[in-house]
Amino acid sequence: MFAFEFLRTMLYFLFVMTLFYAGSQGDDNLQAMLVGAMMRKIKSRNWKKQRYFKLEDDFMTIWYQSKKAVSVNDVEAVREGHQSEVLLSIADEFPPDRCFTLVFRGRRGNLDLVAESAEEAQSWIWGMRKLIENVENMGEREKLDQWIGEWFKKADKNNDGRMNFKEVQDLLKMMNVDMNEHHAHHLFTMADKSQSGTLENDEFVLFYKMLTQREDVLKVFQEYSDGQKLSQSNLEDFLREEQLEGGDIQLHAKQLIECYEPSDKAKRMNAMTFDGFLMYLGSAEGSIFNPQRRGIFQDMTQPLCHYFISSSHNTYLMEDQLRGQSSVEGYIRALNRGCRCVEVDCWDGANGEPIVYHGHTFTSKILFKDVVSAVGNYAFKVSQYPVILSIENHCSVEQQRVMAHHLNHILGDRLLKTILDGKTPIRLPSPEDLKGKILVKAKKDGGLEQSLSGVVEDSLNGEVSDEDEAAEIDENHPHHESIHRRLKELSDCVVYCKSVHFTSFKHSRIHSKFYEVASFTESKARKHLREAGAEFVHHNSRQLSRVYPSGFRTDSSNFNPQEMWNAGCQIVALNFQTAGEGMDVNDGLFSQNGCCGYVLKPSFMREADIRFDPEMPQKRDDYHPVVLTIQQLPKVNIKEDSIVDPLVRVEVHGVPMDQAKQETRYIENNGFNPMWYDTLHFTIHTPELAMVRFVVEDYDKTSKNDFVGQYTLPLSCMQQGYRHIHLLSKDGTSIPPSSLFVYLRIKHLE
């Protein structure tokens, strides 16, 4: 057993002045950014202020007036022109060639800027893109070097490029190390090779290596090595016996040495040193997530109803659903996270233009046409598989005509208007069949059969939206029933996703069509799951179901989607703008299969002749429970201004029999490199549906523990052996180099 994080050879943060600086010497854009520029920061049409922006010498920080800074690590993308609502609002004042937007990771708001000239804007746009590219191309070693450099800069208060012992003590506190002063001074003296009373460059690296050295790591290395190096044969043994890797082990070991061994001499000997071993353990290949499941590996040719589909509720909202802001940014962010089903609540607006907002509330309003444009622009940026527009239609016939016009005019050929082969189908098409297509889910007059014959008339029947139907059950739901004519042009936009009212599973078995979609509130879905779980699963093997949060969740909180996936529900719609357990589990499921937004359901949920009951998984014919064992949960965490008492909670989310939580003890005053000599065991009855969530918290005796980081993934994507778990923030963004290190085993229950 061992507990170690990211230690490896390094050249301190000089990489910042080499990797970035060398790559920027001939880059005029970055040189201009180093000089800096006056630009307008725009928050609204009425808030426009001049600020001086400048790239710092570390090529990682943008400083601007008021002593604020932007880390390049936090910037996800740069948008040119009027590509935000804020910049669109001032489009009449500033031309698009002077405007650009910095888009941040997670849920942080964008930074909208207007340069003094088009040339200056282009310098910053291309310069920022270059910096983002540099960050994305960093290896683990460079990322660690950068991280060390950032801490060095924080601790070097007088900016003289060296640290005295007082600065080192401050640094240890910032890094969550509550170290005995005598021991800290001893390490400081050992690292001070120049005997100058300060640490600089490689001396600081040496200090850091001594600080993070762990004997138990060395013990594992020595178990398979001659004490100095792992031969290729030794490494093969480690990969086979500890990491339980299959395939061509010999080739893999050779590739690992070539990729991660820093010593050319060791490479020539086909060997791996301790530092190379550590670099491998900290790499993507050494992580808990199986790299073979990162890309698209599943069969994408099965009917849509055979997949879980990443889905958003109230996609237009950025905050709560009573007074929150509506924004097209909600659609952009959801689609960029791989979401494949977005919701559009449509109401009559001024000047004949339909609007989108949470009806009968004080949420702000946006134009339907702007939503459609955003979907058209971003639908296929991260995934080519189909996007479903779940439309809640509360509009008059006149404005429905405008809706139909916008859908057709803006989306063009991307909008699916007819069945794929011109013949009456017998099942839903596959994600592969529908690549690059946008589907509308809404009410429809008649079915596919009548549409093909062309005999459908305008409907005069009362229409009730999905959420209004649920309101018949949930009397406290804020929406009112809306009855109006339905326009044929809008009805014709619906092909494979016709919204229908759900009566019963028996009624569906006899009368339902494969292209009909029923929607359920979370409470109604739970009731069906409790009373007729096997029937619910069977229903979802034939057609799509959508589940969305209760109307009582006015704060836009989320339920845990796992319980709905247990019933085979495909479109489990969550509030993407709200961080927490629900979105963690959702992100975890869809982090596999290329993050394409579609995950194939287990075979026992797809086959009509199998009756799987999530309440009684042991009755499956192919019932094969497993035991998950997790040993040694060390971690590294960065949390300024306090020394944390970290503990780790491991949660299993799955069928009811598999729901479980276990915690390690907390380690007092060590948030930097604690070790837990704990072993956790979980028996998992339906491993195909199980999600595992690792949560790190700062233990507090008197109040609720503080959240530090988490990571969630499907059990089926786990690699066994000694593995890193790279922690994510509450927003789901990475927080390097914070991670756990675990030893995992998954065995069939005897």
Side-chain angles (χ1 to χ4, degrees), residues 493-508:
C493 293
V494 180
V495 183
Y496 293 114
C497 298
K498 176 183 177 179
S499 296
V500 297
H501 175 69
F502 179 80
T503 303
S504 69
F505 291 124
K506 181 179 179 181
H507 180 274
S508 292

Side-chain angles (χ1 to χ4, degrees), residues 548-690:
Y548 58 93
S550 160
F552 291 112
R553 293 183 180 272
T554 55
D555 59 351
S556 292
S557 60
N558 284 311
F559 56 87
N560 190 321
Q562 183 69 53
E563 56 186 333
M564 309 309 170
W565 295 331
N566 292 341
C569 296
Q570 304 87 350
I571 304 175
V572 181
L574 298 183
N575 291 297
F576 270 50
Q577 75 273 24
T578 307
E581 180 185 275
M583 277 307 299
D584 292 346
V585 175
N586 192 79
D587 289 344
L589 178 71
F590 292 104
S591 61
Q592 62 182 309
N593 206 33
C595 299
C596 74
Y598 286 84
V599 169
L600 188 65
K601 295 195 287 188
S603 59
F604 55 80
M605 305 186 95
R606 308 194 305 260
E607 298 171 15
D609 57 344
I610 294 179
R611 284 292 190 273
F612 170 71
D613 187 344
E615 297 286 334
M616 291 181 285
Q618 69 275 25
K619 291 192 173 183
R620 263 173 62 199
D621 289 340
D622 57 344
Y623 171 62
H624 297 298
V626 300
V627 175
L628 169 64
T629 302
I630 304 170
Q631 299 175 327
Q632 298 289 83
L633 291 163
K635 76 169 255 295
V636 171
N637 169 57
I638 306 307
K639 183 179 179 184
E640 293 189 39
D641 301 326
S642 68
I643 303 298
V644 303
D645 305 326
L647 65 81
V648 179
R649 183 173 65 255
V650 180
E651 306 169 352
V652 175
H653 299 270
V655 298
M657 283 183 71
D658 292 341
Q659 295 289 121
K661 296 179 182 180
Q662 294 183 42
E663 288 184 353
T664 66
R665 58 201 169 88
Y666 69 91
I667 304 296
E668 195 165 0
N669 288 341
N670 189 350
F672 184 67
N673 56 3
M675 285 189 294
W676 295 263
Y677 290 95
D678 293 343
T679 300
L680 310 180
H681 297 279
F682 298 89
T683 299
I684 301 175
H685 300 272
T686 311
E688 299 92 337
L689 286 173

Side-chain angles (χ1 to χ4, degrees), residues 40 81 93-100 113-119 121:
R40 286 180 176 84
E93 292 183 62
F94 304 104
D97 60 6
R98 289 174 53 193
C99 301
F100 64 98
L113 300 170
V114 178
E116 291 297 301
S117 68
E119 294 73 25

